[in-house]
Every structure is written in C-alpha cells, then in structure tokens.
Amino acid sequence: MKLKILISSILFFSILNANDTLTQINFEQDNDGNFNPNIFVPINWNNDYYSGIGYASSTSKDIKKLNNFEDSKNGAVSTKSDTTINWITKKISNYSIGIQTNIQKINNNEFGYIHDTTNTFGKGDDYWIAFDNDIELDILKTSIYADYSKNLDDIFLRVSTTISPSTKIDVKQSTLFKPLVSDIGSSSSSTSQDLSYSFMLEGYYDTNSFINLGLEYSYDFNPLKYDIAQLSYENSNYLFKTATIDTDETTTKYIAKIYFDKKVLGDLNPSIGFGKISTKIKDNNSNDTTIEDSNIISIGFEKRF
C-alpha cells in the first residue's frame, strides 16, 4: 500500500478570483518525493456561465525481479498528465451542465535485464537479454459535465458526473529484446474508445464552530483498447506480433476532511483529511485483475462549497 500526501499550494493564486467556487490548487507528494500538481481554476463570466482550466500529473516507478528469473531486474516508470478545458458551463438554479475536453498523455517505460540460467529461451544456460519497452498514449476525450447542488440548512451536497461519448487514443511504441530478437517491435495506431464516465459526491457539514466536516467520494470508469507489438514464440523463433490490449480501469477515491472556518488567501478554507484511492485494472483478454491501493493524507486550501 502506497502512502501519498496531498499538499495544497498558493502557486498561481494571483490569477484566481476569490469568489469562484470549485477552486483547487493542490500538490501530491508520493513516497518517492515527487510533487504532482492537481489544479482547477474556474472563470466566472457572469451569474449564469463559467469556464475553467485544470491540470493534473503523476509519476510512479517500480523496480523488482521478474517471475521465474532469480537474476533479473525489471524497472517500470509511468508518467501521466491530464489537462482539462471546461469550455462553457451553464448554471440554472441548482443545476449546471457544460462541455469539456481532456487532453491526456501517458508514458510507460519498462526496462531491465534477464540472466537465463535455466535455458528457458532455448539459448543455453548463460544467456543474457536486455529489454526496453516504450509506449506513449495520447488520449483526447470530449465530455458532457453536469452537477446538482443542494443546501439543507447546515449541510451542503453536490453530485456531479462526467460522461465521455467520444474518446480517441493514439499509440506509439518501440520495444527491444536484444539479442533475442533483432527487429524492433513498433506500433502506431489511432483507436476510438467505448463510453467512459465518472461520478463524484461532495458533502459539507457546517458545525457552527471553528471546525467543519467534509466528505468526498469519486468513481471513474475508463475502458482502454489499442494495439501493440508483443513478443511471441512461433516455429522455434521469437518475433513481434500485433496484439490487442483491452482493459477496463476503475478508480475509486474517498476522503474525509476537516475544514477550518477561517478565510485565507482570498476566501479559501484550510483543510486536512485522510482517505484512500483504489485503482483496479481488469484485462478483458485474460480476465486477470490487478489492484493498487493508496492512502491519502491531505493538507491544503480550497473553495469547493
């Protein structure tokens, strides 16, 4: 289980309007010391319309041995960035509906070596393989955003959803397994995706004291389907063949927060909280599922209500 600390920052605060709700400027620190930004800045045009821009990124790495190979090393580094452009959102009483675009970039790099001492690859019992696998995904997603808010005396609730009927993934790949395969495994494709969606519930309880309580829950569902060149064994030879990656990724997040009834930095509230993120990836080809859980400690400033 991986611990992450979300630390809010006043970076870019000068561009904010203190009256804008939904303001979020956070930095996420992981176990490796990476500070990953999570920013959303709303822009109110008038009482009926607003736009906004957001940016989030993350970096993860993992180094381990490969299964069945005692003398081996497998390093994996993944970087993700997501730029959100909320073009226009219409506010009608307690409802809002709008259109937004997400520009996502995912870079996955796997590298390492294998010392084959058991003749697994049929090249002898002292055979060395070096490998390097680079995959770049460029994702363009157009979505419909909607939310509903309700004020019940001392309780404020907001339910929001994003539905993405149009998503396209462009893939670039370069893979080396030297000297096992002399060729370079490469792939370049553009694929339309199935429907993806997200759901969020936010709650705020005014205790009429210095400390108020909050709750945030979110659920994201993203199917990913694209082609890559994959190492295969045929007719006593190793070679690259086209294979289809078909996965469903779901991410669930919940976090309980304490908001301090103290306006700072132009009407933002300091907050602290604790929660959890769980990411599940189901391989639709093999029906295998992997799960990664992350604890969250949050410290920051925001105006969500």
Side-chain angles (χ1 to χ4, degrees):
M1 193 176 288
K2 188 161 123 180
L3 178 67
K4 293 185 178 180
I5 302 176
L6 301 179
I7 304 176
S8 291
S9 170
I10 61 173
L11 185 65
F12 308 130
F13 179 76
S14 60
I15 67 175
L16 297 181
N17 181 337
N19 295 320
D20 286 344
T21 307
L22 303 178
T23 299
Q24 177 176 296
I25 305 179
N26 296 325
F27 280 86
E28 177 180 297
Q29 186 183 29
D30 60 27
N31 282 347
D32 299 318
N34 300 308
F35 283 90
N36 304 312
N38 187 357
I39 300 169
F40 183 78
V41 179
I43 303 170
N44 278 339
W45 301 115
N46 52 44
N47 291 330
D48 298 322
Y49 293 94
Y50 76 86
S51 300
I53 186 166
Y55 178 78
S57 71
S58 64
T59 301
S60 64
K61 65 180 181 181
D62 185 31
I63 298 177
K64 60 185 179 183
K65 293 181 179 180
L66 289 168
N67 292 335
N68 303 319
F69 295 100
E70 182 63 27
D71 190 4
S72 66
K73 182 167 288 187
N74 179 202
V77 178
S78 177
T79 60
K80 300 179 181 180
S81 66
D82 186 350
T83 300
T84 301
I85 303 174
N86 187 309
W87 297 105
I88 193 71
T89 295
K90 167 75 171 176
K91 295 183 285 187
I92 308 171
S93 184
N94 294 339
Y95 297 88
S96 297
I97 187 168
I99 298 175
Q100 67 183 36
T101 297
N102 288 82
I103 304 168
Q104 301 173 344
K105 181 180 286 290
I106 302 174
N107 289 291
N108 294 320
N109 177 232
E110 278 191 278
F111 55 91
Y113 66 85
I114 300 170
H115 185 197
D116 185 11
T117 60
T118 58
N119 198 27
T120 301
F121 292 94
K123 303 294 184 179
D125 57 5
D126 188 26
Y127 189 72
W128 292 83
I129 301 171
F131 60 89
D132 190 288
N133 182 28
D134 282 296
I135 299 178
E136 179 182 305
L137 306 179
D138 291 305
I139 304 173
L140 183 64
K141 181 182 296 187
T142 301
S143 308
I144 300 171
Y145 169 84
D147 72 35
Y148 170 74
S149 59
K150 183 70 173 178
N151 196 345
L152 303 171
D153 295 328
D154 295 328
I155 299 176
F156 182 93
L157 297 174
R158 179 188 294 113
V159 179
S160 59
T161 186
T162 302
I163 300 174
S164 306
S166 175
T167 302
K168 186 181 75 169
I169 296 182
D170 292 331
V171 180
K172 294 180 181 178
Q173 177 202 7
S174 177
T175 302
L176 299 174
F177 275 86
K178 297 290 187 177
L180 186 65
V181 183
S182 59
D183 296 334
I184 297 176
S186 61
S187 178
S188 180
S189 63
S190 182
T191 310
S192 296
Q193 304 298 301
D194 293 334
L195 184 76
S196 62
Y197 57 87
S198 65
F199 168 84
M200 177 179 285
L201 172 64
E202 296 176 277
Y204 179 86
Y205 176 59
D206 187 351
T207 64
N208 296 307
S209 66
F210 179 67
I211 293 177
N212 300 311
L213 305 178
L215 178 67
E216 178 183 316
Y217 170 84
S218 64
Y219 177 89
D220 296 279
F221 174 78
N222 290 288
L224 297 175
K225 191 172 184 179
Y226 54 90
D227 292 337
I228 63 168
Q230 198 169 71
L231 189 65
S232 181
Y233 184 72
E234 287 188 1
N235 300 322
S236 301
N237 290 310
Y238 288 93
L239 69 163
F240 289 106
K241 294 192 66 176
T242 300
T244 299
I245 301 298
D246 185 2
T247 62
D248 290 334
E249 179 176 311
T250 58
T251 302
T252 304
K253 171 185 175 183
Y254 61 87
I255 181 167
K257 290 186 176 181
I258 296 175
Y259 295 94
F260 296 96
D261 193 12
K262 173 71 174 177
K263 301 297 183 182
V264 296
L265 305 175
D267 214 21
L268 300 181
N269 290 102
S271 68
I272 60 174
F274 180 81
K276 184 178 181 179
I277 295 179
S278 180
T279 301
K280 180 172 71 174
I281 301 176
K282 178 185 176 184
D283 188 329
N284 293 317
N285 294 321
S286 64
N287 284 324
D288 292 335
T289 299
T290 59
I291 299 176
E292 179 181 345
D293 293 329
S294 304
N295 290 331
I296 296 175
I297 298 173
S298 69
I299 304 172
F301 303 94
E302 57 187 289
K303 184 178 181 182
R304 303 294 298 173
F305 308 101

